[in-house]
Amino acid sequence: MRRILVIGSCGQIGTELVPALREKYGNDNVIATGRRTPPPKILKEGGPFIYLDALEIDALKKVLYEYEIDTIFHMASILSATGEKMPQTAWNININGLINVLETSRSYKIKNVIWPSSIAAFGPTTPRDNTPNTTILEPTTMYGITKVAGELLAEYYYKKYGLDTRSMRLPGIISSETLPGGGTTDYAVEIFYEAIKKKQYTCFLKEDTYLPMMYMPDCNKCMIDLLEADNLKLKRRVYNVTGISFSAGEIAAEIKKHIPEFQIDYEPDFRQEIADSWPKSIDDSLAREEWNWDPSYDLASMTKDMIEKLSKRL
Ligand code: AKB
């Protein structure tokens, strides 16, 4: 049985990934950690939770040793929009945190490190439709720069030290438990909360902005499937993955089918430029071929499920 450390587990993905990992690997085998944010009930009560800052390498070493960790999910990251407000902090957390994880993993003989990259690794010079796995990586955001540097670092540790690093370039993640914070794709989550609570949403991207997205249950599946994939079948360390591509107008129209009074207007801000530098759709055929990546949700089923879950809670 694995002993898993999830760094940055109080964020949008971590709060749903940890319960999924606990279900598969056992509650006590998944150690959830957060830097400062008090953990949600589900993390605290479902198994071990400790405070850990990946920037503090000695604290990280102690946790790996004391909890006999063999697998790490490194989820702590500053996202694209916040990264543009504080680029130096984004570099510090995203890159120095990652280097600490890679270094300690190398010396503590960790079996697997899963570290998500992002569609933000692409930039305006990348082909935007059906973006291939291997293509131009010239991002124009600090977040994107940290993702490209991180991909190269993870690959470097694999080649030089044999550390089994695995990454997926995540698109925008849509989830119902914890709101995302500081990303460009956040609108696709906020829109559901506002549609249910106020029947109105002002979107910070234009109506015809297409971005690749994925629903949270598929994201959990993606993380676990890549972790469990046979290394002999993996021909690379970083994979494109995607679920659904839609525009802001299309998701609004889908929500309207369930909430006919819902109204949307568009007031694009600085995040529009970030969105315009990212792909509209992703070619994830290599992930499908090499580790059977196969997401389940489309726009209609994701929207229905989000509305059902949030309507009960809000
Ligand atoms: C963001 O919008 O910054 C993130 C991402 C696509 O990596 N959700």
Side-chain angles (χ1 to χ4, degrees), residues 42-261:
I42 188 163
L43 292 193
K44 220 172 38 185
E45 292 175 0
F49 177 89
I50 51 174
Y51 285 98
L52 176 68
D53 184 346
L55 293 175
E56 291 173 14
I57 196 160
D58 289 335
L60 181 57
K61 283 182 187 162
K62 196 160 168 264
V63 169
L64 296 190
Y65 177 73
E66 279 178 2
Y67 287 87
E68 301 177 54
I69 300 297
D70 57 34
T71 303
I72 300 181
F73 281 82
H74 180 39
M75 310 303 295
S77 177
I78 299 268
L79 299 184
S80 56
T82 306
E84 289 314 286
K85 291 189 182 142
M86 34 187 203
Q88 295 78 8
T89 309
W91 177 268
N92 186 29
I93 291 185
N94 295 5
I95 291 299
N96 293 332
L98 177 61
I99 272 274
N100 284 351
V101 170
L102 294 171
E103 265 302 295
T104 47
S105 298
R106 167 171 86 88
S107 45
Y108 282 75
K109 307 263 176 295
I110 296 297
K111 272 202 296 227
N112 294 103
V113 176
I114 302 286
W115 170 78
S117 182
S118 161
I119 53 162
F122 303 118
T125 50
T126 308
R128 291 188 74 201
D129 292 304
N130 223 15
T131 305
N133 215 96
T134 304
T135 184
I136 302 165
L137 300 176
E138 293 178 338
T140 46
T141 61
M142 180 53 92
Y143 175 61
I145 292 169
T146 66
K147 289 301 182 189
V148 175
E151 287 186 8
L152 294 172
L153 278 172
E155 174 107 30
Y156 182 83
Y157 271 74
Y158 179 72
K159 287 203 180 120
K160 189 154 180 96
Y161 303 114
L163 176 66
D164 188 331
T165 59
R166 301 178 181 196
S167 299
M168 62 295 275
R169 293 188 181 123
L170 290 180
I173 303 298
I174 298 165
S175 66
S176 56
E177 286 307 306
T178 303
L179 276 165
T184 302
T185 56
D186 293 9
Y187 93 86
V189 183
E190 288 170 10
I191 194 171
F192 284 101
Y193 281 75
E194 299 300 294
I196 291 167
K197 287 195 295 202
K198 301 190 192 136
K199 319 277 179 246
Q200 201 282 331
Y201 179 59
T202 301
C203 183
F204 57 76
L205 297 182
K206 287 192 224 152
E207 183 173 6
D208 60 356
T209 308
Y210 271 85
L211 284 169
M213 303 276 178
M214 185 187 291
Y215 193 32
M216 193 62 216
D218 280 331
C219 180
N220 281 342
K221 182 170 139 54
C222 177
M223 298 269 161
I224 294 173
D225 286 359
L226 183 54
L227 173 66
E228 291 301 336
D230 179 354
N231 199 36
L232 294 174
K233 298 210 174 112
L234 303 184
K235 298 201 182 77
R236 65 212 80 238
R237 307 325 295 171
V238 184
Y239 289 89
N240 278 4
V241 289
T242 189
I244 330 153
S245 278
F246 53 78
S247 68
E250 283 171 357
I251 191 174
E254 195 59 40
I255 291 173
K256 251 178 171 304
K257 291 183 190 164
H258 300 264
I259 308 172
E261 337 64 293

